[in-house]
């Protein structure tokens, strides 16, 4: 094993795990908020339920990695609990299309975030990189199925998605630090 020397770049994988776990947790809360509002068994609700099950799988995996590596979760977890659910419920209350636009926006930012992490990780942590790679592919599927189901038909789509994306970027930066 090659020794780390001052000046070598090494990815901060604990911080990565913390923000990723926070993001997947937030995703489960968003979809829970949407499912609380959407009519049972409407096509959008069925799509959201499928995505929610995958988010739960992502979250469980990051929970396991955090426990194994003794990484503490973000202190902002209680905030993401409420903010995620509120975002999901609010968009679903606007319309089915707005709920889909929310997924479109969130998954766009998650894709950007995971891509950045993979570039930063390089060969540093193949175990974590493999999970991120796999989950990123599923987030892209979520984004694409939301778009295919008509996300862009939401009233105010450009403004709505821009606002949600900005919120996601703030949440990501905060969860890296706190
Ligand atoms: Fe996810
Ligand atoms: Fe997702």
């Amino acid at each position: 094993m090659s020794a780390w020397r001052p000046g070598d770049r090494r990815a901060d994988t604990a911080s990565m795990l913390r923000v990723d776990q926070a993001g997947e947790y937030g995703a489960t809360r968003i979809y829970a908020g949407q499912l609380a509002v959407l009519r049972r068994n409407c096509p959008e609700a069925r799509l959201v339920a499928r995505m929610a099950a995958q988010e739960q799988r992502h979250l469980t995996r990051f929970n396991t990695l955090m426990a194994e590596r003794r990484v503490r979760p973000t202190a902002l977890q209680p905030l993401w609990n409420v903010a995620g659910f509120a975002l999901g419920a609010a968009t679903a209350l606007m319309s089915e299309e707005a709920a889909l636009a929310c997924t479109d926006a969130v998954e766009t930012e998650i894709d950007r975030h995971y891509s950045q992490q993979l570039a930063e990780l390089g060969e540093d942590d193949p175990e974590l990189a493999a999970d991120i790679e796999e989950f990123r592919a599923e987030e892209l599927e979520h984004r694409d199925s939301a778009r295919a189901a008509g996300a862009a038909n939401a009233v105010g789509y450009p403004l709505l998605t821009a606002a949600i994306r900005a919120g996601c970027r703030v949440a990501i930066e905060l969860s890296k630090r706190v």
Side-chain angles (χ1 to χ4, degrees), residues 140-158:
L140 280 173
E141 269 174 41
H142 297 171
R143 187 201 65 189
D144 292 342
S145 25
R147 288 184 181 170
N153 298 330
V155 174
Y157 172 85

Side-chain angles (χ1 to χ4, degrees), residues 20 23-25 27-28 31 51-52 54-59 62 107 110 114 135-136 138-139 142:
D20 292 354
E24 297 295 348
Y25 176 69
T28 64
Y31 290 133
M51 297 190 294
Q54 285 182 316
E55 305 302 359
Q56 188 54 56
R57 213 184 108 250
H58 302 170
L59 175 60
F62 285 136
E107 303 291 13
I110 304 273
Y114 280 160
F135 298 166
R136 178 177 162 253
E138 291 180 352
E139 314 301 5
H142 297 171

Side-chain angles (χ1 to χ4, degrees), residues 82-106:
V82 175
F85 190 91
L87 175 63
T91 50
L93 281 169
M94 291 164 82
S95 66
E96 282 89 358
E97 290 76 19
L100 296 171
C102 173
T103 295
D104 182 343
V106 170

